[in-house]
Amino acid sequence: MANETNIFAALIAHCKEYGYIFQSSEIYDGLAAVYDYGQNGAQLKKNIRDEWWKSMTQLNDNIVGIDAAIFMHPTTWKASGHVDNFSDPMIDNKDSNKRYRVDHLIEGFAEEQKAMGNEQLANDTITAMDALLAANDYAGLKKLIEDNKIKCALSKTCNWTEVREFNLMFSTQIGSVAEESETIYLRPETAQGIFVNFLNVQKTGRMKIPFGIAQTGKAFRNEIVARQFIFRMREFEQMEMQFFVRPGSQMQWYEYWKTERKKWLESMGLPAGKLRYHNHVKLAHYADAALDIEFEFPFGWKELEGIHSRTDFDLKQHQEHSKKKIQYFDNDIDESTGKAYGNYTPFVVETSVGLDRLFLTIMSLAYVEEKWTKEDGTEDSRVVLKIPTKIAPTKLAILPLLKKDGLPEIAKELMDECKQSFHCFYEEKDAIGKRYRRMDAIGTPFCVTIDHQTKEDSTVTIRYRDTMTQERVKMSEVKGLVLGKIG
Ligand code: GAP
C-alpha cells in the first residue's frame, strides 16, 4: 500500500502495469515528456474526448465541430503573436547548466517556505513574482531569486544567468527540395485552426452570432521544464471551443462559460471541492480577461482548463495578415439605436482544456487502495480504479467459471449480444477471484460470471466493482442493466 507521499508514484506505476500509459519509445530509454497511451488508456481518452465533443456539439445547438490540420501556413503564427510572444522566461544555473522556468523555480521556493511554516514569506514572494511577471521585469525576477538565495536543486548553488525568453514552438521544414523548403510550426494550440476557418464555417453553416466552433487535437510545445507525468507534455491534446459574440457582450459570455465549464467538469466526476477558479494576473497578449479552472492534483492545485476572453485580437490579426475581410454581418436590431448591428469583427470567449490533464485528474481520483478484514479474520486488499461507468474503457467482463461444461459457449453468446452496445471483455483463465481483481485494477465496473446454475435457470452472477457486492440476475437482463448504468 502506498502512503500519501508516494501515491502519485504508485498511480504512474499502475498506469504502466495495466496498459494505460507508457513512456514513449521506452525500449530506447524513453523520450522526455512524451507518452503513449496503451490499450486501456487510449479507450479511456477516447471516451473522455467523446463526452466533451457531445457536450459541446450535440448538446449546444449553436456549436459545431471541426478538425483542422496540425500544419498551418507559417503566417498564422506571426499573426497570432506566437512567433514573437509565445515564450517563457527561463534562467540557467551556471554550475549545473540546468534550466528552470522562472515561475516554477520561485513557486517551488514558496512551497518549501510554506511547508516550513513561513507562510508570510511564501505569499510575499509569490505576490512579488506576479507583479514582476506582469511588468516583464526580468532583472527584477533575477534579483528576487538572488535576494531569497534560491538554489539550483542539482548544484545547490545560487550562480544564475540572466533571465531570458525561450520560444516554445517546434519548427520543421515543408517541401522536398531543401532550397525551396519553408519553415513551418507544429501548432502550439488548436485555436488558430478555428480562427482561420471562421468565415468558412460561419458561411457554410449559416451560423448566427452567438455561436461556437469546437475542436479537439494534438498541440506541441517545447516545454523546457516538463514534469509530473502527463501533466506537462511536449505533445499533448487540447479540447478547445471558440465562442463568437457581439463586441461588448464578451464579459457576460465569459461568466457563462466559466460556470458551464466547471459544471461539466463536475459531471465528469470531479468533486466541486477539488476545483477552484484562479484569475490571471498577467494576461496573455490576446486577452482582456482570463482565468484557470484549477484542480487539486496529488502534487497540489494546478491549471486544468483555461477560460479566456480573447477580444477580437485573433480575427483582426488574421484579417490584417491575410488581407481578407473577416467580419460578420449582424442584421438583428440593436434596441439602443433602433438600427441593425451591421458589420463587425466578433469577440471571442475561449474554453480550453487539456485532454491529457483531464485524464490525469480522472485517474488520480479513480485510483484507490483498499484494505479490509474478512469474516475469517484474515486481511485482504485490492487496488481498484473507480472510473465513472460512462467513461470506463471496458464496461463489462464476461467470465465463465470453468473452461468446460458448455460454460464458455454460453458466455460467448452473452458477449455477442452485448458487444454491439458497449465494450466487453472475455476471460476464462485463472480463478474467479483473481479475474475479479484484474478487472478492478483496470476499472471495469461490472463482471458477470456464468456457472452451472446458468445452464439450469439462465441466471448469472453480476458483481459490482465499487462495492464488490454480487447478485443473481437473469442473463437476458444483463445488457439492459449495464446500458442503464452507462446512461
Ligand atoms: N488556446 C489557449 C491555450 O492554449 P493554454 O492555457 O496555454 O491556452 C490550455 O492551454 C490548456 O491546455 C491548459 O489548461 C492545459 O490543460 C493544456 N495544456 C497546456 N500546455 C500543456 C502541456 N504542456 N501538457 C499538457 N497539457 C497542456
Side-chain angles (χ1 to χ4, degrees), residues 33 82 86 188-192 195 219-221 223 225-226 229-240 242 280 286 291-293 303-308 310 350-358:
H82 284 81
F86 195 55
E189 63 170 12
T190 58
Q192 298 303 324
F195 291 125
F220 304 83
R221 295 183 189 177
E223 300 282 2
V225 184
F229 195 34
I230 57 168
F231 178 80
R232 194 176 305 284
M233 300 154 88
R234 297 201 164 107
E235 173 178 342
F236 58 100
E237 195 165 333
Q238 288 186 315
M239 305 193 287
E240 299 200 297
Q242 314 294 320
H280 285 200
Y286 49 72
L291 62 87
D292 298 334
I293 302 180
E303 171 184 353
L304 168 61
E305 171 153 3
I307 314 291
H308 311 127
R310 290 182 78 128
E350 164 184 76
T351 74
S352 175
V353 60
L355 175 51
D356 312 87
R357 270 193 204 175
L358 185 52

Side-chain angles (χ1 to χ4, degrees), residues 66-135:
I66 65 164
D67 182 13
I70 287 171
F71 291 145
M72 300 183 73
H73 192 285
T75 310
T76 308
W77 305 109
K78 189 75 194 147
S80 67
H82 284 81
V83 171
D84 298 323
N85 295 316
F86 195 55
S87 51
D88 281 331
M90 314 288 301
I91 195 164
D92 294 8
N93 182 273
K94 290 185 196 162
D95 298 321
S96 67
N97 290 327
K98 190 172 161 56
R99 180 163 293 164
Y100 292 86
R101 245 177 81 170
V102 167
D103 55 336
H104 288 167
L105 184 66
I106 299 174
E107 276 166 6
F109 166 78
E111 266 162 37
E112 272 169 32
Q113 293 302 318
K114 227 178 226 168
M116 286 155 59
N118 301 330
E119 187 104 3
Q120 189 61 45
L121 175 61
N123 293 342
D124 291 350
T125 310
I126 294 295
T127 310
M129 177 188 79
D130 284 346
L132 293 165
L133 282 172

Side-chain angles (χ1 to χ4, degrees), residues 287-339:
D288 68 356
L291 62 87
D292 298 334
I293 302 180
E294 292 186 339
F295 176 77
E296 191 178 16
F297 286 92
F299 41 83
W301 287 96
K302 300 275 174 201
E303 171 184 353
L304 168 61
E305 171 153 3
I307 314 291
H308 311 127
S309 173
R310 290 182 78 128
T311 66
D312 54 0
F313 174 86
D314 300 88
L315 291 182
K316 279 210 165 131
Q317 285 291 105
H318 288 305
Q319 173 168 283
E320 195 184 315
H321 283 76
S322 67
K323 313 260 181 304
K324 308 266 171 17
K325 190 170 161 200
I326 306 180
Q327 284 209 328
Y328 174 80
F329 182 74
D330 192 338
N331 53 15
D332 279 4
I333 302 296
D334 178 351
E335 282 176 11
S336 66
T337 63
K339 291 186 191 147

Side-chain angles (χ1 to χ4, degrees), residues 16 22-31 34 36:
K16 180 178 174 192
F22 309 123
Q23 175 76 59
S24 162
S25 327
E26 196 189 351
I27 57 166
Y28 294 106
D29 296 333
L31 186 63
V34 185
D36 297 338

Side-chain angles (χ1 to χ4, degrees), residues 88-92 102 137-143 145 160-166:
D88 281 331
M90 314 288 301
I91 195 164
D92 294 8
V102 167
D137 182 349
Y138 295 151
L141 284 164
K142 186 179 178 194
K143 190 164 177 312
I145 292 169
W160 297 107
T161 62
E162 297 306 308
V163 173
R164 288 173 294 178
E165 291 276 355
F166 282 87

